[in-house]
Structures are given as C-alpha cells and as structure tokens.
Amino acid sequence: MRRRWLAGAMALVLGLFGCTSGGDPGKSQTTTATTPPAGLSAADEAATSVVKALNSHDLSGVQATRPASEVQTDYEAIFARMDSHYPTATLGEIVYEGNDLAHAKLTMTWALGLDGWEYETTATLRHSDTWRLQWEPSVIHPLLTSESRLKHTHKEAKRASINDLNGQAIVEERPVNQVGLDKANMKADEVGPSARRLAAALGIDAAAYQRKAEAAGAKAFVIAATREPKDIPSSISGIPGLYVRETSTILGPGDGFAAPILGAVGEPSAEAIKKSQGKLSSLDRIGLSGLQSRYDKQLRGVPLVRVDLVGRPAKDKETAVEEETLFQQDASVGAPISISLNRELQSKAESVLKGQSGLATLVVIDVKTGGVLAAAQSPSGGSYPYSTVGAFAPGSTFKVVSSLAMLRQGVTPSSTVQCPSSLAVGGHTFGNYTGYPAAGSGSVPLSTAFKYSCNTTFVQAASSVTGEQLKAAAGSLGVGTDYDSGFRANFGKVEPTGDVDRAASMIGQGQVTMSPLGMASVAASVASGKTVIPWLVKDHSATSTAQPLSKSEATQLQELMKGVVDSGTGKAVKGIMTGAKTGTAEFGKAGKQQTHAWMIAYNGTYAVSAFVEVGDSGGSTAAPLIAQLFR
C-alpha cells in the first residue's frame, strides 16, 4: 500500500500564512493578522458560505470577484474526470493581509481508498463592498491552475478464489467474453438477420434475442451471451455487427453450483456505497451474499486508486501540463479461502434435488472432521440458503435429542416404556401416526418405541424432562445454541414454554425449530461419539459450549438409530446407512395443515439430513433422496 502527497504543495500553503519580511528595515512591511483591519467586518460568514458551496458542488451562488457562472464552469472542468468523487472542505483559521484580503485555511478530505486523502488549501477573499471569493483552481488543490485538472483512476484487483481443501479453485475469477451485436457498426436492416444467426450459433432463443436487439438503441451493444473463450463457436465469425468484448467474471464448476452457500458477486448498492464512507464506488464488485459477502474484504483485495494532475482539453488536444500523481493506493490481490465442500458430492446432491417441485434439501457432514461436504437444495429454494439457515419443525428426528435427555434420567434402550394410542397433556391430546404398528404399542422397550417412532412414549417422558434438560441434550448434539461457525448457519431453537409445549417439543413440534444443517449435526454427533459443530471454511470453526456427549450416551444413541435402519421406519436406507431416524412434522393453519418429511442418517463416513418441505413421511419421501445420493 502506498500513499503519495507532494511536499511542495504543502510548502505553498504554508507560505500564504507566514509573515513577509526582508528588504530595507525602513520600508513598510506587509503583515498578516487573525483579526480584520479596522473598519471591516470579519470574513467568517463569507468563508463559511464558500465552504458550503464547495461541499454542495455548486459555486454558482457564491459572491466572487469573477462572475459566478465562470467560477462554476471552472470548478466543473476540474472534476470532469473524477468519476463524481469530490472532497469535503472544512474551514480552519482565517488570517488577514493588508487592508482588503482574507485567507481562509481549508482542509480537504477525500473518501478515496482505504484510508482517505487529506491536505490543506487556501481560499482567498477580497473585500470591496463585501467579502468576495477570489477564485483560483488552487482552492481545490494547491497545484491546480487554469490549465490543469484532476483525473481519477480506479482499477479493481483480481478477486481471490474459493478453493477446496486440496487447493483447487471451486470458484474463481476467469476471463470471459461478452458476445453480441454492436448496432453502431451495422445497418438497420442487418440487425434482425444477424441476431438470428448469432443466436443460432450460440444456442440461445433466436426470437427473444432478435426482439431484444431490435428494441435496443441505435448505438447499443446488445449482449447475446457471456462465455468463456473456449466456449465461443468459430461459426459466429463474419456475422455483420458482431462484437466480442473481453471482461471477467466469477465462475464455479457449473451453473448455480452451491450458489446459496458460495454467494454472488456484483456491483454494490447505493446504500452499501454510502455506508462504506468512500471505500466503495460503482466501479467496484463486492460479495453480495454467502461466503463471497462474509469474506469479501479478504477475497476482494485492494483496488488501484489514483488521482493525477493532468492538462485540460485545448481544442483537440490537452494542454501541455506535466502530469503528476497526487494520490495513489496500490492494488493488492485478495487472499483465497478454503472450504470443506466436496464438489462431486455437492454436484450429485444438486442433481438428486433438481427434479423436486417444491423445497427439498440435502446436507452431508464428514463424520471424522465435521466439515460440511454438501449443502444442496432444490431449484425452488432460489438463492436463500435454506439448507443451512432454514427454520422448520424437525418432527420425530428430534427424538434423538429427546432420547438423550431420557438417557440422562436413567432410561436405557432396553428400559420398558409405555406407548398408548393417545395421551392427553394439559387439555391437548397427542396421538401416533396413522398405521402405527401394533407391535410397537403398549409396554415396549425404548428401542422399539424409537424405531417405530411412538409419539406418546416421548410425550409421556416430558413429565420427567425439564425444558432446561431438553435444551442441554440438544446442545450436546450440536444444536439449540447459536454459534458463529464462519458461515450463515442456524443451529435451531429449543426453548419450550409450559407443559404442552414441552410435550410437543419432545416429538419435534411446538416451538422447536431446526435447520437441515442442524439435524445433520445431530446425526454427525451420534456417529462420531462427540458433539459436532459443523464447519465450512478452513480455520473458521466454533467450539461447543455444551456438556460433552459421553461415550456411553453415544453408544446408546447409536444402538437406537441402528434399530431404525435394521427393522424400523428407516429400512429404505439399509445397506447404505448404519443408523437413521425418520420424522414428519405438521405445519400450517389448522384444517389446512401440510407435512414436512425428514430423515437423518449416518454411516462410518457421512452424516446426512434429507428434508422435503411438503411430503408424506420420512421413510417414503426423504429416505429415497439419501438412497439416490449414496447409491
């Protein structure tokens, strides 16, 4: 990073405030003072109006020794190549010289680069009938004259890549070409035929592109497609009006690859530019969402920002002025980040979900490392990261958490529990799902109630499990507590209020909400035998603050989840997964309720959650997604 100021300019400013001395001692000397000459009013009000005019970029109303229109024209000429960048003037000390001059010290502050630019200038006022600005370009910068002006240069640094853990770029800035028609260099009757030929060669909608080209202005460049150079067919050569413009863009392995997670890059909004206090402009590209936004400063690097003193145009050429750089911020390339996503697994998960008509997600966590290997969602989810921050009732998948709370009360997988067909709590009646097997009813081991997902068993257990104990159990399985894990993540909410809500929470209803990422964390914690807080960005992870999951607790939970796959509601993933838990959760208005379908599962390598916003059951709707992903 380099900053450059001209010391000579500062010397010029200081010279205006010193006392003039020398010559014969007997001759009168010109001196300066901080009070106005006798009989004259102070110049403060006039100086303040000059500062106000400078900061509004309008000097047309300033009282000056020259016509105000000339002053404004000269002012605009100075900034003609500054891309709407202006300094903010601050009034300092005013000193008086002779009988009619006042020199107002100004501090000029520019919101340029990371640290800004600041220097001092002087505005001279002369008194006739009143104080008037004696306009000179040096009011803006000490080195400016009537023959020079300022020129702004902004060049964005190359954006750093987002890499996988092997150091290979997943998303990076690459050169691309914008292919289209330059209507300024073609005849009107060529537009339609050229548009159709170009569209056909690029494989885009010919009719739509023709309409777009014909509707554009007479000198417009009408982009047909943006492609990497290798993907532009040679057959486009010779098309009248063809123009190929080189540029760059941020590209991933495929169209939309992990887009809600990785995020987008684009021009900052007017609000973002204003909030940046000069650090951003419309010439920048910034991360707008996802990891591109979270790590924007690191990835974006520092752009080249420069202000040069150059000549003003004189007829057909610029005035011969020696160019000088007054301010410069050197560019520095951004630094990459590395993430845990597995591109093959992510791509396959997206392929599995591509045919889903509604919202569905798949999240996969590495059992050994806790890294997020895939976080995919169906196209209807758009750019919002439902897979990591969605908040949904987890249904019976939450019984893994409830079981841990029960284990801590002395229950074991072989303990006898009751599974009645219905159970009333505080005036609300809970029941089991339609078709619940008779073999799982009555007096049964907890392992049986778990593998068939008996609601009433867990509702009944709410009488011996407090809300705090349920939340603590959730924490030991990686959920229910907010963590900053280096990316947008929702670890769920477990805060039951009252007996009925606590009973509903035991079966993943009531006020309990979880994200697909959170439920994958539960499966990962059981599989690994320790609390897992998943991470996505290398060196950016969170540490659990919850009571650790003990080896005995993990072993018993593994036994319960294994039973679901071996002979319970999760048989659809047998041979693929070691343990699982299915779940359904009702949502919506009474009488018009729909059902979420869930499955969480694990094997020796992967922990996974599958979620379908509107489905039938975990076993019939969510389980097939896991089977497709790992077969």
Side-chain angles (χ1 to χ4, degrees), residues 124-336:
T124 296
L125 298 101
R126 183 177 293 276
H127 192 279
S128 52
D129 55 328
T130 187
W131 288 107
R132 295 179 181 274
L133 173 65
Q134 188 168 294
W135 168 256
E136 294 291 344
S138 57
V139 171
I140 304 302
H141 189 281
L143 295 184
L144 278 168
T145 69
S146 59
E147 294 183 338
S148 60
R149 62 179 176 177
L150 302 176
K151 177 186 175 183
H152 172 251
T153 299
H154 181 109
K155 187 176 181 181
E156 187 179 22
K158 179 178 173 62
R159 193 173 184 87
S161 60
I162 297 178
N163 299 333
D164 62 23
L165 293 181
N166 295 319
Q168 298 298 310
I170 293 177
V171 179
E172 63 181 334
E173 182 175 347
R174 297 205 294 266
V176 293
N177 290 335
Q178 293 175 328
V179 184
L181 296 177
D182 182 5
K183 294 182 68 176
N185 292 310
M186 60 193 308
K187 299 175 182 177
D189 60 0
E190 292 177 325
V191 175
S194 289
R196 291 193 298 273
R197 284 182 60 188
L198 183 57
L202 295 173
I204 64 174
D205 188 320
Y209 182 60
Q210 181 180 351
R211 289 193 297 270
K212 177 182 176 182
E214 292 176 338
K219 296 184 178 181
F221 171 46
V222 188
I223 299 172
T226 299
R227 301 277 173 85
E228 291 189 73
K230 65 182 178 61
D231 296 328
I232 298 176
S234 59
S235 58
I236 68 172
S237 62
I239 296 176
L242 174 69
Y243 184 69
V244 179
R245 181 165 64 189
E246 294 181 358
T247 183
S248 65
T249 192
I250 309 299
L251 294 175
D255 186 31
F257 177 87
I261 305 300
L262 299 175
V265 175
E267 182 180 326
S269 65
E271 181 181 358
I273 292 172
K274 183 178 180 181
K275 189 176 180 180
S276 75
Q277 297 182 329
K279 292 181 174 60
L280 293 176
S281 75
S282 60
L283 300 173
D284 286 300
R285 286 183 303 170
I286 65 169
L288 301 175
S289 59
L291 297 181
Q292 293 283 10
S293 176
R294 171 70 184 264
Y295 297 95
D296 181 63
K297 185 176 180 180
Q298 176 179 339
L299 293 168
R300 181 160 47 93
V302 177
L304 166 70
V305 180
R306 193 174 70 240
V307 177
D308 294 314
L309 183 78
V310 300
R312 298 192 192 186
K315 295 183 179 179
D316 296 329
K317 60 180 180 179
E318 290 196 345
T319 307
V321 169
E322 183 178 351
E323 294 191 4
E324 295 191 53
T325 297
L326 306 179
F327 170 86
Q328 181 164 313
Q329 171 182 275
D330 288 336
S332 62
V333 178

Side-chain angles (χ1 to χ4, degrees), residues 35 47 55 83 128 232 312 332 341 408 420 433 461 511 515 522 617:
T35 56
N55 291 338
D83 301 321
S128 52
I232 298 176
R312 298 192 192 186
S332 62
L341 281 189
R408 288 176 172 175
Y433 57 85
Q511 300 301 310
S515 68
V522 170
S617 69

Side-chain angles (χ1 to χ4, degrees), residues 218-578:
K219 296 184 178 181
F221 171 46
V222 188
I223 299 172
T226 299
R227 301 277 173 85
E228 291 189 73
K230 65 182 178 61
D231 296 328
I232 298 176
S234 59
S235 58
I236 68 172
S237 62
I239 296 176
L242 174 69
Y243 184 69
V244 179
R245 181 165 64 189
E246 294 181 358
T247 183
S248 65
T249 192
I250 309 299
L251 294 175
D255 186 31
F257 177 87
I261 305 300
L262 299 175
V265 175
E267 182 180 326
S269 65
E271 181 181 358
I273 292 172
K274 183 178 180 181
K275 189 176 180 180
S276 75
Q277 297 182 329
K279 292 181 174 60
L280 293 176
S281 75
S282 60
L283 300 173
D284 286 300
R285 286 183 303 170
I286 65 169
L288 301 175
S289 59
L291 297 181
Q292 293 283 10
S293 176
R294 171 70 184 264
Y295 297 95
D296 181 63
K297 185 176 180 180
Q298 176 179 339
L299 293 168
R300 181 160 47 93
V302 177
L304 166 70
V305 180
R306 193 174 70 240
V307 177
D308 294 314
L309 183 78
V310 300
R312 298 192 192 186
K315 295 183 179 179
D316 296 329
K317 60 180 180 179
E318 290 196 345
T319 307
V321 169
E322 183 178 351
E323 294 191 4
E324 295 191 53
T325 297
L326 306 179
F327 170 86
Q328 181 164 313
Q329 171 182 275
D330 288 336
S332 62
V333 178
I337 61 172
S338 296
I339 63 174
S340 59
L341 281 189
N342 178 297
R343 69 183 74 207
E344 289 77 20
L345 198 57
Q346 176 72 25
S347 295
K348 188 173 182 182
E350 290 176 356
S351 178
V352 168
L353 297 174
K354 189 174 182 180
Q356 293 287 317
S357 58
L359 177 63
T361 68
L362 282 165
V363 176
V364 183
I365 295 174
D366 187 318
V367 168
K368 293 182 175 61
T369 69
V372 179
L373 300 176
Q377 60 194 48
S378 56
S380 67
S383 60
Y384 186 79
Y386 287 101
S387 62
T388 62
V389 299
F392 309 99
S396 292
T397 57
F398 196 71
K399 288 174 183 173
V400 178
V401 174
S402 304
S403 294
L404 176 58
M406 293 165 66
L407 295 177
R408 288 176 172 175
Q409 299 302 307
V411 178
T412 69
S414 60
S415 295
T416 299
V417 294
Q418 301 302 312
C419 178
S421 59
S422 63
L423 186 68
V425 177
H428 182 85
T429 300
F430 294 88
N432 293 318
Y433 57 85
T434 302
Y436 183 82
S441 300
S443 297
V444 295
L446 174 61
S447 58
T448 298
F450 185 89
K451 74 178 182 179
Y452 292 133
S453 203
C454 177
N455 286 336
T456 53
T457 294
F458 289 88
V459 167
Q460 190 174 46
S463 61
S464 58
V465 174
T466 67
E468 291 74 17
Q469 289 169 338
L470 186 61
K471 183 176 177 65
S476 298
L477 293 171
V479 294
T481 301
D482 287 332
Y483 294 101
D484 181 1
S485 54
F487 66 106
R488 287 192 68 188
N490 167 30
F491 292 100
K493 178 183 177 182
V494 184
E495 297 176 358
T497 57
D499 293 343
V500 174
D501 187 37
R502 188 169 71 257
S505 295
M506 292 287 285
I507 58 174
Q509 296 270 195
Q511 300 301 310
V512 172
T513 58
M514 287 286 152
S515 68
L517 172 75
M519 291 314 300
S521 302
V522 170
S525 296
V526 173
S528 66
K530 62 180 184 298
T531 305
V532 172
I533 309 299
W535 60 274
L536 178 63
V537 181
K538 185 180 179 180
D539 300 326
H540 293 270
S541 59
T543 301
S544 172
T545 58
Q547 176 184 340
L549 184 66
S550 72
K551 182 177 180 179
S552 173
E553 291 167 347
T555 299
Q556 293 179 86
L557 292 175
Q558 289 166 2
E559 178 184 342
L560 291 172
M561 292 185 72
K562 187 175 184 299
V564 174
V565 173
D566 291 344
S567 57
T569 58
K571 289 184 288 185
V573 294
K574 192 171 184 177
I576 301 171
M577 293 289 146
T578 303

